[in-house]
Amino acid sequence: MAGRGAEEHPHGADRLCGAGDRVYSRAVRRGRVPRTDAEAVPCLLELALLHPDPDDMDWLVPTSPQEVMTRLLRGVYDEVSASQRRVGSAVAAFEWYAGLGRQLNALAAPVEGSAIRVLDGLSRIQAAMDEATEACTNEVLTVQPGGIRREAELTEGLHRALALRGRGVRMRDLYTHVARHGQGLLNYLELMGDTVEARTLDEVIDRLILFDRTVAFIPANADRTMALELRHPALVEYLVTVFERLWRLAIPLTAALPDTGIEGISHREQSIAALLAEGHQDAVIAERLGISVRTCRAHIARLSETLGAASRTQLGVRIAQVGLDGHRPSLPGAALTGPDQEPPTVR
């Protein structure tokens, strides 16, 4: 039965099949479901979303959505050093489980101080952020994705930053390398003085704000009109760990970006080349690095010219040859492909 279920339901808890969605949702609403209801969806037992009722083995009881979310984040933690792409999937799963929680509590007022609170609307988000700012006494950690920070974005939270500086609260901010070119960010950091320390990476996870390592805020939808306020110690500890690992990898804003060691190739072009070698489309690369698609394509054109590539396929070969794909470069004069091997292609 386990083998058949895995074959018919090749998914994880972050994207249930339609039948699994219906049975799990019913189990959460009613508190339990008959074991016969789960026969068609063995994935729920395999993923430990349902488990036997110890009082009556003919019934199955659900694992709480909050525990499922904690489990999802723990799984993402295992992959964070190798890839940050899973974070987006976890946020999407958060939105689904949080939505299920809202259905269950539609008639109940939000419980103040609850472990996970959904903030629907910009006014509620701003109010919660102001409240957390007033209570903060020691440290604020933030991750700010995207490219150059717009003046409006910096001005939006300036009152909170100044209030924190006035109380001697230390702040550490992570940005993408592209943010280094924004005068607004430089003006903001000059205003804040040594209260704020900033570092940059090629790419970062989605927006994250942590106050005193006790409360965290993350987006709950794509346009950021909804957010999750997290106070569960395990979730907050996980997010702090993610931040600290990224912080150790990041480069201080006051330091220059490392030289690529290849004449005519900038650090940004090196990052683009690595993502091209992984097979990503231009739009995906632009989003991950915080630049426009037009700028991304201009860099790709310069890469092709510098490496002497006449096509995208040839560009993939050249990227691998000089080691811009993250692997060691080919030896001079070595064949780029074997007799049965196709050359790498960047799309």
Side-chain angles (χ1 to χ4, degrees):
M1 173 65 76
R4 181 175 64 83
E7 182 178 349
E8 294 178 358
H9 296 82
H11 59 73
D14 56 342
R15 54 183 188 281
L16 292 180
C17 58
D21 181 339
R22 291 188 293 273
V23 174
Y24 176 72
S25 300
R26 185 162 63 248
V28 171
R29 289 194 300 270
R30 299 178 180 178
R32 63 176 189 170
V33 292
R35 182 180 289 270
T36 53
D37 284 10
E39 289 178 354
V41 282
C43 54
L44 296 181
L45 287 168
E46 293 164 8
L47 296 172
L49 294 178
L50 294 179
H51 50 88
D53 187 338
D55 296 326
D56 189 340
M57 299 300 287
D58 290 333
W59 291 78
L60 299 172
V61 295
T63 301
S64 70
Q66 290 80 8
E67 183 177 342
V68 175
M69 284 188 285
T70 302
R71 188 189 306 159
L72 282 171
L73 282 173
R74 191 177 300 118
V76 175
Y77 169 81
D78 294 335
E79 301 175 8
V80 69
S81 60
S83 170
Q84 298 168 20
R85 293 190 297 272
R86 283 279 298 163
V87 175
S89 175
V91 170
F94 254 104
E95 183 177 2
W96 187 89
Y97 287 108
L100 180 59
R102 289 197 303 276
Q103 294 176 24
L104 294 173
N105 300 289
L107 300 179
V111 179
E112 200 65 34
S114 58
I116 301 176
R117 187 162 61 128
V118 180
L119 305 173
D120 192 352
L122 295 177
S123 60
R124 290 195 64 196
I125 295 173
Q126 295 294 339
M129 292 279 290
D130 288 339
E131 180 182 344
T133 299
E134 292 176 6
C136 184
T137 59
N138 184 46
E139 178 185 53
V140 177
L141 311 175
T142 76
V143 178
Q144 304 289 354
I148 294 176
R149 302 283 289 161
R150 294 176 298 179
E151 291 287 349
E153 293 176 321
L154 294 166
T155 303
E156 175 187 324
L158 184 59
H159 68 287
R160 285 191 291 269
L162 292 174
L164 292 166
R165 186 189 68 172
R167 296 201 301 274
V169 175
R170 305 290 299 178
M171 288 170 267
R172 285 191 285 157
D173 299 337
L174 275 171
Y175 302 93
T176 61
H177 290 325
V178 178
R180 290 169 172 257
H181 304 292
Q183 187 59 44
L185 175 60
L186 299 178
N187 293 340
Y188 164 76
L189 294 175
E190 183 178 0
L191 174 65
M192 298 302 294
D194 59 4
T195 302
V196 176
E197 184 180 358
R199 294 187 181 184
T200 63
L201 283 165
D202 284 322
E203 53 181 309
V204 296
I205 59 174
D206 207 344
R207 182 159 295 172
L208 167 66
I209 304 177
L210 285 153
F211 292 91
D212 280 343
R213 305 188 179 214
T214 58
V215 56
F217 295 89
I218 62 173
N221 61 356
D223 61 7
R224 294 176 180 164
T225 56
M226 293 178 61
L228 296 182
E229 178 185 294
L230 308 175
R231 293 181 180 272
H232 191 289
L235 296 180
V236 174
E237 182 181 357
Y238 158 76
L239 293 171
V240 170
T241 300
V242 171
F243 180 91
E244 293 293 358
R245 291 198 176 190
L246 293 176
W247 184 260
R248 285 195 294 272
L249 296 172
I251 300 172
L253 193 65
T254 54
L257 298 180
D259 187 79
T260 63
I262 303 175
E263 185 177 356
I265 303 294
S266 68
H267 186 91
R268 186 183 301 177
E269 287 162 357
Q270 181 182 43
S271 303
I272 290 173
L275 292 172
L276 280 171
E278 292 179 9
H280 296 294
Q281 300 289 342
D282 297 355
V284 174
I285 295 172
E287 180 181 2
R288 287 177 60 168
L289 298 183
I291 58 179
S292 68
V293 175
R294 181 178 179 180
T295 299
C296 179
R297 288 173 177 162
H299 281 295
I300 293 173
R302 282 196 290 271
L303 268 171
S304 297
E305 181 180 357
T306 302
L307 297 178
S311 66
R312 293 293 282 253
T313 299
Q314 193 176 32
L315 178 58
V317 174
R318 295 286 187 260
I319 286 173
Q321 183 182 21
V322 300
L324 286 174
D325 60 350
H327 298 91
R328 297 182 63 181
S330 304
L331 293 174
L336 295 178
T337 58
D340 300 319
Q341 180 180 1
E342 292 293 329
T345 302
V346 290
R347 295 189 289 270

